Amino acid sequence: MDGHGMPRWRQIYGTLAEEMQQGILRPGQRLPTEPELAERFGVNRHTLRRAMAELRDDGLVRIERGRGTFVQEEVIDYPVTRRTRFSDIMIMSDHEPGQRALRALEMPADAEVARELGVAAGDPLLLVETVHEADGRPLSVTAHYFPKARCEGLLEAYRESGSITQALYNVGIRDYFRQTTRVTTCLPTETEARHLRQSSTLPVLLTQSVNVDADGYPVEYSIARYAGQRVALV
């Protein structure tokens, strides 16, 4: 304890919490290593670990095995509604939306995707794989599958516009609606974890969704992996 009777771990807690509040330590930022923090505050690791445990329990930091300790980020509510548009939701939540295309190609349908889209296994599909971001932070990695027979020209339209909604519109699908969404959890692959900037030992939210056109015909089947520490599906 110091001269005022405050435990040393509590002083460390207060200092780091204040730095987070002031923006010196930003959401998602990795904290210095345990030895570096112990040296900074002149304490042993036991004292430092007590402070970090309290910060974790109060939701101010998260500890990822093998990666370190990170300032906890704001959890964004993502509504699962009949008409969900990522960019609109982010803007309404006062976040800057972003999207990166990982790949866009034609491929044959496997049994799962064929069943969800109502096509035969082996039929040609169009795949667009993306990373969605909010304020530069990755929220999800998503594989979007479309039946080529219904969406001919979609890949070219997507490459021009960078928007799946606009690309669908350009190939004649003026609107589309969520028919079903199934939510589970799983562990990400190493590649998915890298895109989400998280540990591969940290579970993600897995959604499998079918979107249909105005006549009720499936036009998209998507498999998305959401960073659970940043997104809450509502």
Side-chain angles (χ1 to χ4, degrees), residues 39-232:
E39 181 179 356
R40 173 188 171 184
F41 291 107
V43 297
N44 59 42
R45 292 192 181 186
H46 175 77
T47 299
L48 179 67
R49 286 170 183 168
R50 174 70 188 277
M52 301 311 293
E54 293 291 330
L55 288 167
R56 179 199 60 204
D57 292 346
D58 287 347
L60 298 178
V61 302
R62 70 176 190 276
I63 300 173
E64 296 186 16
R65 187 174 62 187
R67 295 190 75 230
T69 301
F70 297 80
V71 180
Q72 187 59 276
E73 297 143 301
E74 174 190 0
V75 177
I76 298 174
D77 284 349
Y78 190 88
V80 181
T81 61
R82 188 165 180 255
R83 289 187 83 253
T84 295
R85 302 293 185 266
F86 178 81
S87 294
D88 293 344
I89 291 171
M90 292 300 103
I91 292 171
M92 290 173 61
S93 302
D94 200 27
H95 295 285
E96 180 67 30
Q99 181 182 135
R100 291 189 291 113
L102 299 178
R103 54 179 179 159
L105 52 88
E106 181 177 331
M107 64 182 296
D110 64 21
E112 175 192 346
V113 179
R115 181 180 66 251
E116 299 295 343
L117 287 176
V119 300
D123 279 1
L125 299 178
L126 306 176
L127 166 65
V128 176
E129 193 170 23
T130 61
V131 176
H132 282 106
E133 301 176 338
D135 305 322
R137 295 179 297 153
L139 299 187
S140 67
V141 177
T142 307
H144 309 264
Y145 298 93
F146 309 90
K148 182 180 179 182
R150 181 69 176 82
C151 301
E152 185 72 54
L154 181 136
L155 296 183
E156 293 76 9
Y158 175 75
R159 292 186 183 108
E160 290 179 3
S161 67
S163 163
I164 287 176
T165 298
Q166 185 62 50
L168 286 169
Y169 187 90
N170 289 349
V171 299
I173 299 172
R174 301 298 190 240
D175 207 353
Y176 58 96
F177 307 92
R178 185 188 305 273
Q179 183 182 66
T180 59
T181 290
R182 182 171 183 263
V183 183
T184 55
T185 61
C186 68
L187 290 175
T189 65
E190 292 288 347
T191 299
E192 291 162 350
R194 186 173 68 255
H195 287 310
L196 291 173
R197 298 181 206 158
Q198 69 165 61
S199 169
S200 59
T201 64
L202 195 65
V204 295
L205 297 173
L206 172 68
T207 67
Q208 297 161 286
S209 303
V210 176
N211 289 329
V212 298
D213 63 16
D215 296 320
Y217 292 104
V219 294
E220 179 189 6
Y221 175 57
S222 67
I223 303 174
R225 289 164 174 80
Y226 289 86
Q229 75 274 15
R230 302 184 195 118
V231 181

